[in-house]
Amino acid sequence: MSQQYRSRPLGSDVALSEAYDTALLDLDGVVYAGGHAIVHAVESLGTAREGGMHLAYVTNNALRTPDAVAEHLTELGVPADATDVITSAQAVARLMADQLPSGARVLVVGGEGLRVALRERGLVPVESADDDPVAVAQGFGGPDLPWGRFAEAAYAISRGAVWFASNTDLTIPGARGIAPGNGAAVEVVRIATGAEPQVAGKPLPPMHRETVLRTGAKRPLVVGDRLDTDIEGAFNGGVDSLLVLTGVTDAAQLIAAEPRYRPTYVDRDLRGLLTGQPEVAEEGDGFRCGGWTAGVRGDALVLDGEGDAIDGLRALCAAAWTHAGEGACGLDARKAVAGLGL
C-alpha cells in the first residue's frame, strides 16, 4: 500500500496456506490455551501442513524447552519436532551471548526452557545473587515461581548485573481465563530496582532475527492472537499477519488499533489459514465486506447488513482504521460490534 498505515484488512484470492510458504504461529491463545488445543486448531494445522505449508511455532513463553513444546504439540495431534519451535528463551540467550563472554554466570529467574537455552549459548545458569552472576535472565516461570526469585534478581541487579528479559507480555491466556504473564513479573523487579531490562521477545527485533535464522522462511505469515506482540512483531519485521480471535484480543480492541497493531488479515480461528480472504471494498462513504456495510456517521461507527459476523468485523475495521488514519480510533467500538456476537 502507498500509505504508511493499513486502512483495511486485505483480501486473498487463494487460501493463505497457499499464498505463504511458512506460518509463524504463536502458541498460547492460537494453538492451545491452558494446555488444551483450541477448537479447530489441530484439524486446520494438519490440512495446512498436508498442503505443503511449513509450520513453525514462535512463542514468547520461555518456560518450556523446544523439546517439551514439540512433545506437547504432538500429543495434541499436531506433529512437531523441536526444530519447529522458536522461543523467546532462545532469542534472549542469543542476545546475551552476543554481549557476554562464554562461560559467564547468569542468574535465572524462570523455568527450564530458559536454562537450556542459556547453556546452548555457552552461558552458565546460577540460582543466587551470591554466585556472582554478571547478568540476570528473566522469563516466565509458571504460576508457582517463588516470590524469592524476584528478590534474587533485585539483589543481583543492584550489584551491577546486566538485566535481560525474554519478553514483557503482561498477560497469558489459560484454560480458566487471562493470567499475569512475564511482563507483570518484570514490573515487580523494575519497581524494586529502577532498572530497565534488555528485552528479546516479540515484538522486538531479536525475536524476529531468531525466527528468520531458524526457519529460513521466504514468504512468512505471522499468526497470532495479540496485537502488541504478534501483530506488532510482524509490522516491525515487514511481514504479513493473521489475527485470530481465540486468545487475548477481542473485536473492539482490533477496531481501535493504531497502525502498528493492524493485521493484514483477521479470522475467527486457524481455519482462516485454509481459505481465501474476502475483499473489503469502498462503497459510498463506507466499506462493504460480504453482506455487511460499515461507516462513520457523526461520532459513531455504524454497521448494517447481515451474514458472517467476521465479514462485519472486517468492514468495521476498514471504517475505523480509515477514520483514524495514523492514530488509534477513538470511536465507541464496543457498541458497534455488540450485535456480531464476537
Side-chain angles (χ1 to χ4, degrees):
M1 300 177 69
S2 59
Q3 67 260 42
Q4 295 301 306
Y5 61 90
R6 184 178 306 287
S7 63
R8 71 187 81 172
L10 294 188
S12 176
D13 293 334
V14 301
L16 298 183
S17 58
E18 299 175 19
Y20 299 90
D21 69 342
T22 306
L24 305 180
L25 295 133
D26 184 45
L27 288 172
D28 293 298
V30 175
V31 180
Y32 53 63
H36 302 287
I38 287 174
V39 64
H40 305 299
V42 173
E43 315 92 275
S44 299
L45 292 174
T47 301
R49 183 177 56 252
E50 290 168 4
M53 189 179 217
H54 177 214
L55 306 180
Y57 303 95
V58 185
T59 178
N60 263 1
N61 191 331
L63 178 60
R64 294 187 293 174
T65 66
D67 284 304
V69 172
E71 182 179 352
H72 182 210
L73 286 168
T74 302
E75 289 172 352
L76 293 177
V78 182
D81 296 323
T83 54
D84 298 323
V85 179
I86 302 94
T87 74
S88 62
Q90 294 171 321
V92 77
R94 188 186 295 270
L95 180 65
M96 296 177 75
D98 287 345
Q99 300 181 38
L100 303 176
S102 179
R105 293 185 174 192
V106 176
L107 174 67
V108 175
V109 180
E112 186 62 16
L114 192 52
R115 291 180 177 83
V116 169
L118 291 169
R119 292 188 191 104
E120 287 177 347
R121 292 291 164 197
L123 302 173
V124 179
V126 299
E127 300 303 314
S128 171
D130 295 335
D131 293 326
D132 297 322
V134 299
V136 173
Q138 184 171 3
F140 185 64
D144 300 321
L145 185 68
W147 187 259
R149 301 308 300 155
F150 304 140
E152 290 300 321
Y155 301 150
I157 293 166
S158 67
R159 296 173 188 175
V162 184
W163 183 23
F164 296 83
S166 64
N167 66 298
T168 52
D169 299 34
L170 290 173
T171 60
I172 186 168
R176 298 172 58 196
I178 303 300
N182 191 55
V186 166
E187 285 302 309
V188 172
V189 178
R190 191 199 311 268
I191 291 168
T193 63
E196 292 289 335
Q198 295 185 47
V199 183
K202 297 179 285 186
L204 298 172
M207 190 68 173
H208 182 70
R209 174 192 177 202
E210 192 71 21
T211 300
V212 169
L213 289 171
R214 289 179 180 268
T215 65
K218 303 299 183 184
R219 289 177 290 113
L221 177 69
V222 170
V223 184
D225 70 306
R226 299 185 68 108
L227 301 180
D228 60 349
T229 53
D230 305 314
I231 305 308
E232 187 182 5
F235 176 87
N236 290 340
V239 299
D240 289 346
S241 60
L242 167 65
L243 179 82
V244 292
L245 301 177
T246 49
V248 168
T249 301
D250 64 25
Q253 291 167 333
L254 173 62
I255 290 169
E258 60 185 271
R260 59 183 172 155
Y261 299 143
R262 297 173 187 170
T264 314
Y265 312 102
V266 58
D267 223 312
R268 278 188 182 82
D269 50 55
L270 286 176
R271 288 176 295 179
L273 285 175
L274 308 179
T275 64
Q277 296 286 308
E279 180 185 10
V280 182
E282 290 188 50
E283 185 169 291
D285 58 355
F287 295 87
R288 171 175 287 276
C289 185
W292 299 92
T293 301
V296 177
R297 296 176 192 162
D299 60 355
L301 277 170
V302 293
L303 179 67
D304 300 303
E306 59 183 6
D308 190 337
I310 287 291
D311 287 341
L313 176 58
R314 294 173 178 129
L316 282 167
C317 285
W321 296 353
T322 299
H323 177 78
E326 297 184 14
C329 182
L331 303 179
D332 188 350
R334 296 198 180 278
K335 184 176 180 180
V337 299
L340 291 176
L342 294 172

